[in-house]
Amino acid sequence: MRQYQWQDRFSIGVDVIDQAHHRLFLIVQKIMDLYVERHEDKFACIEGIKYFKAYALKHFAEEEAYMRKIGYPGYQAHKKIHDRMRWETLPELERLLYDSNFSTEMVQRFIGVCTGWLTGHILIEDRAISGFETGELLSAGQDGELSVIHAVILRPLQEVFGSDIQYIGQFSTKDEILNAQYYELIYSTREGKRLRIILVIGEEILIRAAGMIFGMDFFEMNDIVCFAIQEIAQHLIQRAEASFGIQPDKYQLEADRFLEHEKFITMFQEHPPQHSLLFHAKQECFALCIDQSQSPVPESSETVREHGVIS
């Protein structure tokens, strides 16, 4: 396998942060090489995963200190993303690894989640830190919705997909997206408000994005790709919330899943989302749907694909 390694496009221009990201990439690649590619040396894999966790926590503390030093206005929201990784995601991944006796499946899950989280966090969240320093970070009140879409959504997506992205306009179910995957995230507040966000994107785009991230050709979706793309999508969606005046700090992620096509169409027709954005990348399109509601999101009985597996 060609190495998942540091690429110049991941640099945000802050040495202490870029050096830490570089090291985290190397650790993930070493774990992949030892256990997924060679299927050997379980002990070394365990030590590598422990090292990744320890180094990631050290990096979060250093990055947060830097944000406080420069007076970064997005510090609290950014720290909350770190905290979720610190106290929820990494401990849960560690638990699954030990419960499975470090099965190949769970190691692949660890690699996919950490790879996607790193890529999404760097290209979307960490880029905003350097954007603030250069005056490039926009808000809806400054330049309007289209400028925000371009700054907050399109630029990171162009980095991930390796091609120019154009905002076309409003999305409807009549717009054709080949081999569409429907990735839904549901957030909630203590007051009972719900926020539903759905990314509608073709499988080819996902596979191409994975190739850009890992530096290799993929011919089909697999577990590592699915987990990596889910993490990138969550980072993108968190930035999209802010661009439409939604306060991410008020919402907690309640559920995320892949929807079947029929379920998505029914949901869209019965309750059209408040924001339906259509984008174009090369010869393909994808969409982002955002909807807020006071009422609870109803439970669904349809077959749902979670983490790339039909259940």
Side-chain angles (χ1 to χ4, degrees):
M1 175 185 283
R2 281 181 285 164
Q3 297 215 338
Y4 170 54
Q5 59 188 358
W6 179 259
Q7 302 172 46
D8 288 342
R9 66 195 184 97
F10 293 136
S11 174
I12 72 167
V14 180
D15 286 345
V16 65
I17 295 176
D18 287 338
Q19 288 169 11
H21 291 161
H22 192 177
R23 175 64 63 85
L24 288 167
F25 274 55
L26 290 174
I27 298 169
V28 172
Q29 171 57 39
K30 190 66 175 177
I31 296 168
M32 184 183 295
D33 182 53
L34 282 172
Y35 206 61
V36 176
E37 293 302 302
R38 296 191 210 171
H39 302 283
E40 64 182 32
D41 205 342
K42 174 182 168 181
F43 177 76
C45 176
I46 293 171
E47 291 304 303
I49 288 168
K50 286 181 180 177
Y51 184 46
F52 177 91
K53 180 181 176 182
Y55 195 86
L57 298 183
K58 177 178 178 289
H59 164 58
F60 292 165
E62 291 175 345
E63 189 171 275
E64 288 161 14
Y66 177 79
M67 288 189 285
R68 291 194 299 271
K69 178 182 176 181
I70 66 172
Y72 177 54
Y75 170 77
Q76 289 297 335
H78 196 124
K79 184 179 184 300
K80 185 173 181 180
I81 294 170
H82 284 176
D83 286 344
R84 190 176 296 126
M85 189 67 168
R86 275 186 185 108
W87 307 119
E88 297 176 24
T89 304
L90 284 174
E92 175 65 8
L93 288 172
E94 199 169 31
R95 182 189 68 78
L96 291 170
L97 285 165
Y98 278 100
D99 286 353
S100 70
N101 195 28
F102 285 76
S103 69
T104 300
E105 179 185 359
M106 286 300 109
V107 174
Q108 287 176 331
R109 178 172 184 159
F110 180 91
I111 291 169
V113 170
C114 291
T115 300
W117 195 93
L118 269 175
T119 304
H121 193 69
I122 292 169
L123 296 179
I124 298 169
E125 298 298 335
D126 289 343
R127 279 285 174 84
I129 300 173
S130 55
F132 161 71
E133 286 192 299
T134 58
E136 294 176 0
L137 189 62
L138 301 177
S139 67
Q142 290 175 314
D143 283 327
E145 186 177 280
L146 290 180
S147 294
V148 174
I149 289 170
H150 185 268
V152 177
I153 300 177
L154 297 193
R155 289 178 189 174
L157 279 176
Q158 286 173 173
E159 293 281 358
V160 172
F161 294 147
S163 63
D164 289 337
I165 308 290
Q166 294 181 328
Y167 169 62
I168 299 175
Q170 188 171 4
F171 167 73
S172 77
T173 53
K174 294 180 180 178
D175 294 306
E176 184 177 7
I177 297 179
L178 296 176
N179 299 317
Q181 307 290 309
Y182 305 94
Y183 180 48
E184 177 192 47
L185 296 101
I186 298 172
Y187 294 84
S188 62
T189 68
R190 292 180 180 178
E191 295 78 21
K193 292 182 180 179
R194 291 294 194 276
L195 173 65
R196 185 199 300 270
I197 301 175
I198 302 176
L199 179 65
V200 185
I201 190 164
E203 189 169 317
E204 260 187 57
I205 267 189
L206 293 179
I207 292 172
R208 187 166 66 245
M212 288 289 296
I213 294 164
F214 287 93
M216 63 176 292
D217 293 329
F218 287 93
F219 300 99
E220 62 182 9
M221 297 289 284
N222 62 30
D223 286 344
I224 291 180
V225 171
C226 286
F227 283 116
I229 294 300
Q230 281 179 300
E231 289 297 318
I232 292 170
Q234 288 191 35
H235 282 287
L236 170 67
I237 286 165
Q238 285 162 352
R239 296 298 293 172
E241 294 167 28
S243 74
F244 291 103
I246 299 167
Q247 299 179 38
D249 283 350
K250 290 188 176 182
Y251 287 90
Q252 295 291 333
L253 181 63
E254 183 178 305
D256 68 300
R257 59 186 181 172
F258 282 96
L259 294 174
E260 298 294 340
H261 172 76
E262 294 77 12
K263 178 62 179 177
F264 170 75
I265 297 298
T266 299
M267 287 168 51
F268 195 99
Q269 292 174 345
E270 291 180 353
H271 185 68
Q274 292 162 327
H275 300 287
S276 301
L277 312 174
L278 183 63
F279 303 92
H280 187 268
K282 290 188 175 179
Q283 303 301 315
E284 300 157 293
C285 292
F286 64 93
L288 188 65
C289 304
I290 303 174
D291 189 61
Q292 289 176 291
S293 172
Q294 291 284 350
S295 58
V297 176
E299 290 294 328
S300 127
S301 59
E302 90 288 0
T303 299
V304 173
R305 193 175 79 173
E306 296 181 352
H307 308 309
V309 179
I310 297 291
S311 60

